[in-house]
Amino acid sequence: MPRLEEHCWSCSCSPSVKTQELSSASWIVCKTGEMMSIITSVLRHAYGSMHSLQSANLMRRGLVLFIVGVVLALVLNLLQIQRNVTLFPEEVLDTLFSSAWWIPLCCGTAAAVVGLLYPCLDHHLGEPHKFKREWASVMRCIAVFVGINHASAKLDFANNVQLSLTLAALSLGLWWTFDRSRSGFGLGLTTAFLATLIAQLLVYNGIYQYTSPDFLYVRSWLPCIFFSGGVTVGNIGRQLAMKCVEK
Amino acid sequence: MPLKRLRQNISAAFYRHGLLCASYPVPIILFTSASILTCCYPLLKLPLPGTGPVEFTTGVRDYSIPSHESPGDLSERPDWYQGPPVAYIQQVLVKAAVSPWDNSLVPVDVFRSPLGRVFSVLEEIRNHVYTDRSLEALCLQVTDLLPGLRRMQAVLPEHGCLLVSPGNYWQNRRDLFDADPDLLKTVHQHEPKGLHTSATLKDLLFGVPGKQTGVSLYNKKRVVTYTITIALSSYDARFVASLRARLKQLHPSANCTLREDHMVHVHFKEEIGIAELIPLVTTYIILFAYIYFSTRKIDMVKSKWGLALAAVVTVLSSLLMSVGLCTLFGLTPTLNGGEIFPYLVVVIGLENVLVLTKSVVSTPVDLEVKLRIAQGLSNESWSIMKNMATELCIILIGYFTFVPAIQEFCLFAVVGLVSDFFLQMFFFTTVLSIDIRRMELADLNRRLPAEAGMPPPKPGPLRPRETPPPPRPSPHTITLQAPAFRNLRLPKRLRVVYFLARTRLAQRIIMVGTVIWIGILVYTDPAGLRTLLAAQVSEQSPLGEAGLPPHLGVAPVFPGRDPTSTLSVLPAPEPTPLPENQSQGHRAARPEVVPVSSPQITWGPEDEELWRRLSFRHWPALFSYYNITLAKRYISILPVIPVTLHLSPQEAIDTRHPQDTHHAPPPSIKTSDLQADLTLYKVAALGLFAGVVLVLLLFCLYRVLCPRNYGQNGVPHGRRRRGDLPCDEYGYSPPISEISPLLLRGHSMDIECLASDGMLLASCCLARQIRVWDAQTGDCLTVIPNNGLRRSSSSGCWEHRDGWDHIGACEAENIFPIRRRTTPARPALFGDQPDLTPLIDTNFGSLPPSQTLSSSGFDFGGLVEKAYQEHETSPTLAFPPSPPASQQRRRSLGDQPVLPPELPPQNNGDWDSSVWAMELRGNLIATGRSSGKLELWDAVEGSLRCSNEDGVSGITALAFLNNRIVAARLNGSLDFFTVEITKPLGLLQYRGPPGRGSLPPSPCYSSEDVISCQLTRSVQCAHQKQITVLKAAAGRVVTGSQDHTVRVYRLEDSCCLFTLQGHSGGITAIYIDQTMVLASGGQDGTICVWDVLTGSRVSHVYGHRGDVTSLVCTTSCIISSGLDDLICIWDRSTGIKLYSIQQEVGCGASLGVISESLLVTGGQGCVSFWDLNYGDLLQTVYLGQSSEGQSVRQLLVLDNAAIVCDFGNELSLVYVPSVLEKLD
């Protein structure tokens, strides 16, 4: 699964120092974000109104997840950029969007893959996920995920170990609060492992870098972020899948 | 074991608490509000968030750089006033004018030579040295401009002092200035296009707002104002004072009384950039989505919005309380409140509130409110406590991470959780109890009149029309829910249109777009709004400061403070003219020579702090060009140095550029002011134009995409007006243009009972007259009048024994009733006298009588005999609700006392009691009367065949199936009769369409048969209260009663199979069909679907607020109508509500299903056809001329795709053939 390996959920792998064009570009992001959220809701409505084939359903779910991934990637990117956690070489990546176009795309694809994998895995394991299956819970989950990202970017910790441990605890708390399934935990771990590996490879090849790497080439909290991201996207995916089954 | 005990204790405590809350709602809410306010009180001390700069003024004399250490000793000193400022800003305000003004001068002269003098002043400033200190040593050294500002490299200083002046336009070189042919162009070439005017280069360099510079061809005052702005890195009071004295000495300002005694420190807050805003906005969007999805789950309460609001208020005020409490106990929030707020809300959550609501709502409805609340609380007490304990544990763990930010967050969260629990228990529970009490009250209010309005003597068809249903604002709002689309087969295009219509996407996008647009405008154009405000503030501020006495006396002290200055011998206020200032001579001559046009240079208090009129982003913008941020730092602005320059006309002419004279005033229209204005107007006009175009475009799109209204959504029209071509929203129009109803006229009063077996149609009016009609053609076949009078000489045609003549006579009088219909004196025409009009049918004459009759296969002999007997049949004067009035009227109108009612012995019909129920099978009409008598009439001949007087209680409902009649009586008993036919000829004809499966073929009785009706079984106490509904199908008889139960009997042996309990109100509607589907609706608004074979309840839905008035099923769905004017369509198998149709107020409750997908409803003077799949109104057929006032109360669907409905005293036969063709 080469696409999965592109998994770089939390835009920690993210571009470009702040430039003056940022504000204009950010307006575009803002608008895109809004448009996308509109589209998301539209598609969700579309689920209700359309009654069609499984494959079409799959496509739509994938599209929704992709869009969610792209939006989250763009937004969380900005969080990291503010604190200069990631650095991209200036000459390669001049502005946010002309250069790092592959970040949101990768994140979106990864989100789609993971979000579709979760219900699929549930189906194959024969244990449908029934815990807190409602949109309010999903929204809460997303909010907590953004909060974890926020904490990783903005809080001042005494040292990196503390930061990583805190985030790990938070990620586990997220899983316990919203998921509580073994398959979710396993898939989240796999996601985190693969994504960290990809990030290591990318940094090793000099595509981008972190300001203060403490875990080989990347930040040590990266796996936690990937883990919670995987759980969050899985949550969304399951909710979407459930909607479809209900129809 | 202790756990269990703990659990019980908690449950009991919650129970008591619930009782308390529900008992004293108002005091508890007051107490809660008071405690919220108390806890929030410390919040008042916190500064309000905002990004505007803050000022602090100190005196110049005893100024010293504030230290870092002593923040608390001076109370009025703000917190930020610590350490040195980023820079000291010294502005030299230059006002220059050519005076006296000469008429030979061209407009360019107004500013060319005054601007030219900037270079000499600059030179003076740069070269100023005071005791070995020069400007170079003191000023703020800047390095490169930011890389993005390369185009400003030419005008902004780099690698040196930050000293800006208009001279920067020409690189501070006089020769470039002199060689510049068009100064205005140079100045304006750096101006940004459009409305981006926050801090333009012109503002930065001139240092005064653009309009006050006077650099314009239309400068009326002819005074040019600009500043030279110097940023100093360190403050040397002596150097500044000497510079001030030197400039004043060189360019004295005569009437200048500017105060020079205090400096202003301006602190800038951190500006929230877009990059920080986006994540913030995202978290808030997620937060709102969370709140939305959470509160959407609140259901089954009186006011969803109210409870959702209460839930949000609970969470928000618990947060405020937590912050308030934390500040009260000395913890100052250091985190950015706006950032952590969404996370706090998410952590605290709305779950408990929802769980509480759900639990309370799911308690039995018939309990008292107090008990419901208490029970609901105690049911959920354990889970609430458990969740709370878990959350507290998690947060405590978080507290031990020892990260300050997380600790603070956790502290807030803990206090927030506790206060949230408090609020849930007190505030929300009480609100919930109030809400539930309101709901009960509302239900009670609605139900009481319905029961009260049902008088005991009239228990017949339950028709509580007496209560006016609650008015609905918009008729025909159709709420389509998702599952409604499961069986839709729509083209994609329509789906898109439906989708757009349903989600109102276009409107929403426009709305969002507008909001964004306004946001952009506000964000990018602070000059428009904010500088206006700032200007107003600054105009007021000098006045306020002028009142301060201590500042006034400082000005003369200033020179004395600077004793070492060699130049301070000439103080500013009254300078003696210096010889080296050549232009000074003009000052004296200024007012006299050219008094009208001579420019005056005046110094007013508004010049003291001219920088206030600049954009508040002025200084941050200037410094940000050099990558110096002013966020959370401050700058100190020194008192301005006034410089007055007077130039002679000769000087102005000397400095002219050769091209300046070419600028004759007329061609150079574009002044800066006008230009700015023009751009503004242009942009405004463009915006307006774009708006209009957009609106037009959208309108066109709307017309193209949605040529019809969106499924009657939002269009507040009622029914379609007569004459409108009916078509539904997606452009389909039924092939017929208008369905014209066939009016069957003849009854003199309102029609009370209506029965049909497909071929014949029997109706009975309040005047107890029964008429039999041909359902195909609408011919009136028989009249059973309300008294036993044989029709005699009053109208000759009735005497004829010949059927043909009879018909012909009717034809002859065809027009008569129509004319009479309009006359108001109509009631006078009947009384005891036989009413002749009933036999007349309007459409009768259009059909050849022979064809009509032969095709319908009627017995002509019967017709002939009927002519004899129709006047002998017993009439019924039925007017149950107001019998005295009707009797009285009859007496008063009985204008022919000479004709007393004859009672032929063979037709001793009971015409003193009213007909309460009527059924028609074959050609037998069964009528149940209020006296308890059951009569069987021959429908064709109009003769009474049989009657049974076994019961004394009035018959409220009848069912006639095969040869059995079931009568439900007022006292709750149920009588089963068997109709036996003794056939002398041994012939039994079967009539009726052969292909019909829903009803067994009805035997046709000939007139010779002897028909007897025997009571086979009487179930005395079938129900405790009166039987309201009786339906029979598929060998089962189903009764519904006021005693909340439904009973199922077998028809053959009249044995009670099941008693179905499940309603909490009287049964008002029952549906049963051949496929053994049984549905019942009650006064509680619930609809139950039962399995007739097992007696089990299949589904139970809460459908209406108020009684269910009518129920119909199709193979896939159940259609119900209620007192709330709502028609709900339910999925039959799952009990899920597909959608509902909001009808007009007061329209009838009658329903009928013509085919699987065609629903017909009765309304005010019309019937409406609906497409069941979409819930669309297909067509509305108006029944009469006077469409208002009379509503359709009964509606029968015949087999030949016709519907019959009553309409006042008329019957209306509506054929819907084309719709059927379309649908089948």
Side-chain angles (χ1 to χ4, degrees):
Chain A
M1 35 184 167
R3 301 297 265 170
L4 178 64
E5 315 213 320
E6 293 284 70
H7 199 265
C8 33
W9 228 105
S10 66
C11 12
S12 322
C13 35
S14 81
S16 168
V17 289
K18 209 169 178 175
T19 58
Q20 279 305 115
E21 279 89 12
L22 193 61
S23 70
S24 68
S26 316
W27 267 113
I28 300 168
V29 189
C30 196
K31 280 179 188 164
T32 332
E34 284 180 8
M35 287 308 294
M36 279 167 175
S37 56
I38 288 172
I39 292 170
T40 316
S41 69
V42 159
L43 285 171
R44 209 173 50 233
H45 278 294
Y47 275 113
S49 60
M50 292 178 190
H51 176 244
S52 57
L53 295 173
Q54 183 88 24
S55 61
N57 255 333
L58 213 63
M59 284 292 292
R60 282 191 213 111
R61 269 159 55 197
L63 191 62
V64 172
L65 285 167
F66 178 80
I67 290 166
V68 168
V70 169
V71 172
L72 277 177
L74 290 175
V75 167
L76 300 180
N77 243 342
L78 286 172
L79 269 180
Q80 307 277 355
I81 290 167
Q82 280 172 37
R83 292 298 289 258
N84 287 336
V85 176
T86 52
L87 287 180
F88 282 80
E90 203 173 332
E91 65 274 14
V92 181
L93 309 162
D94 197 13
T95 60
L96 178 60
F97 290 100
S98 61
S99 57
W101 54 270
W102 50 275
I103 297 279
L105 283 190
C106 290
C107 291
T109 316
V113 169
V114 173
L116 291 179
L117 262 181
Y118 263 81
C120 180
L121 199 67
D122 282 345
H123 183 69
H124 281 292
L125 289 181
E127 38 187 31
H129 194 254
K130 290 289 176 201
F131 182 70
K132 285 192 186 172
R133 280 272 63 90
E134 55 200 9
W135 277 110
S137 167
V138 172
M139 285 298 151
R140 220 178 164 185
C141 183
I142 298 175
V144 171
F145 173 61
V146 175
I148 289 176
N149 274 276
H150 205 128
S152 77
K154 286 218 162 174
L155 292 189
D156 295 313
F157 285 87
N159 51 38
N160 275 320
V161 178
Q162 198 183 24
L163 172 65
S164 308
L165 284 181
T166 312
L167 287 184
L170 279 175
S171 311
L172 278 182
L174 180 93
W175 171 78
W176 178 252
T177 321
F178 298 105
D179 193 325
R180 292 198 198 176
S181 68
R182 281 174 299 136
S183 58
F185 190 74
L187 203 53
L189 276 188
T190 320
T191 308
F193 177 71
L194 286 178
T196 316
L197 198 68
I198 301 299
Q200 294 276 16
L201 287 178
L202 285 178
V203 175
Y204 182 74
N205 288 323
I207 306 294
Y208 71 106
Q209 68 183 55
Y210 282 86
T211 40
S212 55
D214 59 339
F215 175 60
L216 297 180
Y217 299 100
V218 299
R219 301 296 294 266
S220 52
W221 43 259
L222 207 56
C224 307
I225 297 285
F226 284 135
F227 176 77
S228 48
V231 170
T232 307
V233 175
N235 222 334
I236 303 173
R238 279 167 169 169
Q239 186 69 32
L240 287 173
M242 202 188 71
K243 274 282 191 190
C244 294
V245 169
E246 262 189 6
K247 286 303 135 200
Chain B
M1 204 51 199
L3 202 67
K4 200 170 246 175
R5 207 166 339 126
L6 179 71
R7 199 169 164 167
Q8 280 172 353
N9 285 342
I10 288 176
S11 178
F14 272 71
Y15 192 86
R16 283 195 294 276
H17 177 77
L19 278 183
L20 175 80
C21 281
S23 307
Y24 306 103
V26 176
I28 285 181
I29 283 198
L30 287 180
F31 163 70
T32 323
S33 316
S35 47
I36 291 175
L37 290 181
T38 317
C39 292
C40 293
Y41 175 70
L43 289 180
L44 292 180
K45 290 180 194 161
L46 290 183
L48 284 174
T51 54
V54 185
E55 291 173 15
F56 177 61
T57 308
T58 56
V60 174
R61 277 190 67 193
D62 46 357
Y63 172 78
S64 62
I65 295 173
S67 61
H68 289 278
E69 286 79 31
S70 57
D73 51 351
L74 285 171
S75 58
E76 73 270 16
R77 239 170 76 166
D79 296 337
W80 48 264
Y81 188 55
Q82 291 172 18
V86 179
Y88 299 90
I89 305 290
Q90 176 66 65
Q91 283 193 308
V92 179
L93 181 59
V94 180
K95 289 195 176 191
V98 177
S99 79
W101 185 252
D102 196 340
N103 278 334
S104 64
L105 297 174
V106 292
V108 186
D109 293 328
V110 171
F111 52 84
R112 180 173 272 275
S113 56
L115 275 182
R117 291 294 288 271
V118 74
F119 300 103
S120 62
V121 179
L122 271 177
E123 196 69 17
E124 189 69 38
I125 292 170
R126 281 185 191 281
N127 295 335
H128 183 75
V129 179
Y130 172 72
T131 59
D132 74 347
R133 282 180 182 244
S134 69
L135 189 67
E136 281 296 320
L138 290 173
C139 76
L140 186 72
Q141 301 284 338
V142 291
T143 53
D144 287 331
L145 282 170
L146 276 185
L149 297 167
R150 295 198 172 107
R151 63 188 179 85
M152 290 198 180
Q153 257 173 345
V155 285
L156 284 176
E158 273 186 309
H159 304 289
C161 278
L162 181 55
L163 190 152
V164 288
S165 71
N168 284 75
Y169 278 120
W170 300 274
Q171 282 94 45
N172 290 329
R173 283 163 62 188
R174 179 79 196 213
D175 50 338
L176 286 179
F177 178 79
D178 287 337
D180 191 357
D182 191 349
L183 298 181
L184 282 179
K185 192 179 160 197
T186 313
V187 169
H188 285 292
Q189 69 184 357
H190 293 287
E191 294 305 292
K193 303 287 182 286
L195 277 174
H196 193 85
T197 53
S198 61
T200 63
L201 192 63
K202 188 180 172 188
D203 285 348
L204 287 180
L205 294 188
F206 277 87
V208 286
K211 292 206 172 189
Q212 294 188 4
T213 56
V215 183
S216 133
L217 291 180
Y218 285 101
N219 184 5
K220 289 280 190 297
K221 286 168 76 178
R222 299 198 177 99
V223 175
V224 174
T225 312
Y226 53 88
T227 62
I228 298 165
T229 305
I230 311 155
L232 302 171
S233 61
S234 58
Y235 179 64
D236 186 339
R238 294 176 191 174
F239 176 81
V240 173
S242 75
L243 179 66
R244 176 183 300 272
R246 169 74 183 155
L247 287 176
K248 279 190 173 183
Q249 184 196 19
L250 286 176
H251 312 286
S253 308
N255 47 0
C256 176
T257 55
L258 296 187
R259 280 181 285 124
E260 301 163 345
D261 51 351
H262 48 268
M263 60 167 81
V264 181
H265 310 278
V266 184
H267 178 252
F268 295 92
K269 297 213 173 132
E270 191 172 21
E271 285 196 40
I272 298 177
I274 292 297
E276 287 146 4
L277 216 56
I278 289 178
L280 204 64
V281 166
T282 315
T283 50
Y284 273 91
I285 288 174
I286 293 173
L287 175 71
F288 281 122
Y290 168 63
I291 290 179
Y292 168 72
F293 281 119
S294 298
T295 52
R296 208 173 60 158
K297 289 187 294 189
I298 296 179
D299 206 353
M300 294 279 290
V301 291
K302 175 73 183 165
S303 145
K304 274 190 180 189
W305 281 101
L307 271 194
L309 189 70
V312 174
V313 163
T314 306
V315 174
L316 293 194
S317 45
S318 69
L319 279 182
L320 287 182
M321 277 172 81
S322 86
V323 178
L325 286 176
C326 286
T327 27
L328 189 68
F329 292 113
L331 183 106
T332 46
T334 54
L335 293 177
N336 186 344
E339 277 182 7
I340 63 165
F341 177 76
Y343 303 124
L344 275 177
V345 171
V346 163
V347 163
I348 290 177
L350 292 165
E351 263 68 21
N352 274 348
V353 170
L354 302 176
V355 162
L356 266 185
T357 314
K358 204 172 170 188
S359 155
V360 169
V361 161
S362 58
T363 51
V365 193
D366 43 349
L367 280 181
E368 208 187 332
V369 178
K370 268 190 224 175
L371 297 179
R372 285 186 72 185
I373 297 281
Q375 225 174 61
L377 267 186
S378 73
N379 283 347
E380 287 300 329
S381 59
W382 182 244
S383 73
I384 287 179
M385 289 309 282
K386 213 169 60 179
N387 279 341
M388 171 127 174
T390 322
E391 281 177 347
L392 284 181
C393 279
I394 290 174
I395 290 173
L396 275 183
I397 292 172
Y399 190 78
F400 286 108
T401 51
F402 296 110
V403 180
I406 290 187
Q407 277 181 328
E408 194 185 327
F409 181 85
C410 288
L411 204 61
F412 277 125
V414 166
V415 183
L417 266 183
V418 173
S419 50
D420 183 55
F421 179 72
F422 165 76
L423 285 183
Q424 271 167 24
M425 285 300 107
F426 284 95
F427 178 71
F428 188 78
T429 312
T430 319
V431 170
L432 192 64
S433 80
I434 291 176
D435 183 272
I436 285 190
R437 179 165 295 133
R438 269 183 65 210
M439 184 166 78
E440 308 242 313
L441 281 181
D443 286 357
L444 223 61
N445 287 342
R446 193 178 295 121
R447 192 161 305 155
L448 264 180
E451 280 166 356
M454 211 156 21
K458 192 209 168 193
L462 189 74
R463 213 183 292 143
R465 282 188 296 273
E466 292 83 353
T467 43
R472 299 281 170 170
S474 67
H476 301 300
T477 44
I478 299 171
T479 38
L480 279 179
Q481 286 178 358
F485 283 79
R486 94 173 45 191
N487 47 6
L488 295 195
R489 296 284 179 270
L490 282 178
K492 276 226 166 70
R493 178 180 67 90
L494 296 185
R495 265 194 262 179
V496 170
V497 174
Y498 276 160
F499 174 70
L500 284 177
R502 205 171 56 253
T503 55
R504 291 178 183 76
L505 201 62
Q507 291 97 314
R508 286 182 187 173
I509 287 178
I510 292 172
M511 217 171 64
V512 168
T514 316
V515 169
I516 291 175
W517 184 54
I518 292 173
I520 291 173
L521 271 190
V522 170
Y523 183 76
T524 56
D525 183 27
L529 215 77
R530 293 180 193 163
T531 47
L532 189 72
L533 291 176
Q536 282 175 353
V537 170
S538 67
E539 275 172 15
Q540 289 167 359
S541 55
L543 295 175
E545 285 166 12
L548 297 173
H551 299 306
L552 290 176
V554 188
V557 184
F558 175 65
R561 192 197 165 272
D562 207 10
T564 50
S565 170
T566 49
L567 297 165
S568 65
V569 282
L570 301 170
E574 202 50 62
T576 48
L578 285 180
E580 63 261 43
N581 196 349
Q582 290 91 354
S583 67
Q584 213 189 356
H586 301 288
R587 186 166 56 97
R590 178 191 52 198
E592 293 91 32
V593 177
V594 189
V596 185
S597 60
S598 172
Q600 296 246 4
I601 295 177
T602 53
W603 293 92
E606 73 274 4
D607 294 321
E608 277 176 19
E609 287 168 335
L610 208 55
W611 54 269
R612 282 184 197 274
R613 304 211 178 176
L614 295 167
S615 158
F616 77 98
R617 282 226 182 82
H618 185 85
W619 303 116
L622 178 63
F623 283 94
S624 70
Y625 288 156
Y626 300 97
N627 205 8
I628 300 169
T629 176
L630 291 185
K632 293 186 175 175
R633 296 160 83 183
Y634 75 99
I635 57 171
S636 301
I637 299 175
L638 302 173
V640 73
I641 302 173
V643 169
T644 309
L645 296 174
H646 289 284
L647 297 99
S648 66
Q650 188 55 46
E651 202 176 348
I653 290 169
D654 289 345
T655 52
R656 258 187 210 169
H657 189 269
Q659 284 195 11
D660 281 351
T661 47
H662 300 322
H663 284 283
S668 59
I669 310 158
K670 289 188 180 178
T671 66
S672 66
D673 283 351
L674 209 60
Q675 222 168 15
D677 284 352
L678 270 183
T679 39
L680 202 70
Y681 292 143
K682 254 189 265 176
V683 167
L686 211 68
L688 203 67
F689 177 72
V692 169
V693 166
L694 193 71
V695 166
L696 283 179
L697 188 74
L698 284 172
F699 184 71
C700 293
L701 267 180
Y702 172 83
R703 299 296 297 193
V704 168
L705 281 180
C706 321
R708 318 291 167 202
N709 49 27
Y710 291 148
Q712 292 84 41
N713 271 347
V715 184
H717 70 83
R719 312 238 163 183
R720 278 198 186 85
R721 291 295 110 198
R722 201 179 324 240
D724 279 2
L725 271 189
C727 48
D728 57 18
E729 66 195 48
Y730 49 97
Y732 169 77
S733 149
I736 38 141
S737 60
E738 188 84 26
I739 296 174
S740 54
L742 201 61
L743 287 183
L744 312 183
R745 290 167 178 154
H747 280 290
S748 52
M749 297 183 76
D750 279 5
I751 288 164
E752 182 70 18
C753 301
L754 197 59
S756 168
D757 68 341
M759 299 300 287
L760 293 177
L761 183 64
S763 62
C764 175
C765 69
L766 284 176
R768 293 183 278 182
Q769 188 184 51
I770 299 174
R771 282 176 173 263
V772 182
W773 317 81
D774 187 341
Q776 302 280 344
T777 60
D779 307 340
C780 176
L781 300 174
T782 317
V783 179
I784 304 171
N786 60 352
N787 58 14
L789 272 187
R790 178 183 293 271
R791 290 185 197 222
S792 54
S793 57
S794 59
S795 106
C797 75
W798 307 113
E799 291 286 321
H800 289 292
R801 302 209 164 195
D802 192 331
W804 300 106
D805 278 350
H806 158 73
I807 291 162
C810 291
E811 272 187 84
E813 287 191 6
N814 205 3
I815 205 156
F816 182 48
I818 301 173
R819 195 184 306 137
R820 220 173 46 173
R821 178 163 303 280
T822 56
T823 62
R826 187 180 166 199
L829 290 175
F830 62 91
D832 287 343
Q833 203 174 26
D835 191 355
L836 301 183
T837 58
L839 274 188
I840 295 160
D841 183 79
T842 50
N843 292 325
F844 197 74
S846 61
L847 294 166
S850 59
Q851 273 185 9
T852 309
L853 294 177
S854 60
S855 66
S856 55
F858 280 114
D859 187 358
F860 284 100
L863 261 183
V864 173
E865 272 202 30
K866 176 204 64 181
Y868 289 116
Q869 291 172 351
E870 59 190 357
H871 300 301
E872 300 166 5
T873 54
S874 74
T876 61
L877 182 59
F879 208 46
S882 57
S886 129
Q887 295 277 356
Q888 201 178 12
R889 189 167 72 164
R890 194 165 69 118
R891 271 196 296 275
S892 67
L893 294 173
D895 48 352
Q896 296 227 348
V898 286
L899 292 173
E902 280 179 43
L903 302 181
Q906 74 272 25
N907 283 336
N908 53 350
D910 174 15
W911 58 86
D912 283 334
S913 56
S914 55
V915 176
W916 278 357
M918 188 165 71
E919 273 294 311
L920 176 64
R921 283 288 173 273
N923 49 7
L924 278 181
I925 303 173
T927 57
R929 293 186 176 268
S930 58
S931 61
K933 199 178 201 180
L934 177 76
E935 293 168 339
L936 282 176
W937 299 84
D938 190 308
V940 179
E941 298 173 18
S943 59
L944 179 70
R945 305 304 298 262
C946 163
S947 80
N948 189 308
E949 302 183 34
D950 288 339
V952 286
S953 185
I955 295 175
T956 58
L958 273 179
F960 196 164
L961 205 63
N962 299 336
N963 58 346
R964 284 174 192 271
I965 298 174
V966 186
R969 294 189 188 272
L970 194 56
N971 59 4
S973 63
L974 200 64
D975 287 352
F976 290 79
F977 298 94
T978 309
V979 178
E980 285 173 2
I981 306 152
T982 321
K983 283 198 164 306
L985 299 179
L987 288 173
L988 195 63
Q989 304 168 1
Y990 279 90
R991 261 192 5 168
R996 229 174 98 212
S998 65
L999 281 176
S1002 315
C1004 183
Y1005 312 100
S1006 67
S1007 58
E1008 290 83 19
D1009 299 345
V1010 177
I1011 296 175
S1012 66
C1013 177
Q1014 289 176 341
L1015 178 69
T1016 51
R1017 181 159 180 226
S1018 173
V1019 184
Q1020 272 313 317
C1021 269
H1023 284 280
Q1024 304 294 325
K1025 293 182 182 173
Q1026 70 181 45
I1027 295 172
T1028 50
V1029 206
L1030 173 72
K1031 289 279 160 76
R1036 297 283 185 277
V1037 177
V1038 186
T1039 57
S1041 158
Q1042 279 290 104
D1043 63 359
H1044 303 191
T1045 57
V1046 177
R1047 285 193 174 214
V1048 183
Y1049 293 87
R1050 200 181 295 146
L1051 191 60
E1052 296 96 65
D1053 53 0
S1054 46
C1055 141
C1056 175
L1057 297 176
F1058 306 108
T1059 302
L1060 309 175
Q1061 289 175 329
H1063 286 281
S1064 51
I1067 310 298
T1068 52
I1070 281 181
Y1071 177 86
I1072 185 168
D1073 64 10
Q1074 285 300 112
T1075 55
M1076 290 271 199
V1077 167
L1078 173 60
S1080 61
Q1083 284 177 332
D1084 51 350
T1086 54
I1087 297 162
C1088 293
V1089 182
W1090 313 86
D1091 184 359
V1092 180
L1093 294 177
T1094 63
S1096 59
R1097 189 163 72 183
V1098 178
S1099 60
H1100 175 238
V1101 290
Y1102 180 86
H1104 295 275
R1105 294 197 179 274
D1107 302 8
V1108 176
T1109 52
S1110 182
L1111 262 182
V1112 182
C1113 295
T1114 67
T1115 52
S1116 61
C1117 54
I1118 303 168
I1119 301 122
S1120 68
S1121 74
L1123 265 192
D1124 50 359
D1125 293 323
L1126 214 58
I1127 294 177
C1128 296
I1129 287 87
W1130 312 81
D1131 189 277
R1132 185 158 136 179
S1133 51
T1134 61
I1136 296 169
K1137 185 170 169 180
L1138 299 180
Y1139 57 92
S1140 59
I1141 303 168
Q1142 178 71 55
Q1143 285 200 295
E1144 279 171 345
V1145 176
C1147 57
S1150 44
L1151 280 180
V1153 173
I1154 294 178
S1155 70
E1156 271 302 300
S1157 56
L1158 192 61
L1159 171 73
V1160 55
T1161 63
Q1164 288 276 352
C1166 57
V1167 286
S1168 303
F1169 295 89
W1170 304 84
D1171 191 334
L1172 268 183
N1173 287 334
Y1174 316 108
D1176 301 335
L1177 178 65
L1178 291 178
Q1179 193 168 19
T1180 297
V1181 176
Y1182 285 86
L1183 298 178
Q1185 302 293 325
S1186 56
S1187 60
E1188 306 304 325
Q1190 283 175 323
S1191 66
V1192 171
R1193 291 171 302 187
Q1194 296 188 49
L1195 202 144
L1196 278 182
V1197 177
L1198 306 183
D1199 298 302
N1200 50 2
I1203 56 164
V1204 179
C1205 50
D1206 68 332
F1207 177 58
N1209 54 10
E1210 297 169 7
L1211 282 179
S1212 192
L1213 194 60
V1214 183
Y1215 286 98
V1216 276
S1218 48
V1219 180
L1220 271 193
E1221 278 163 19
K1222 171 218 159 192
L1223 290 162
D1224 286 344

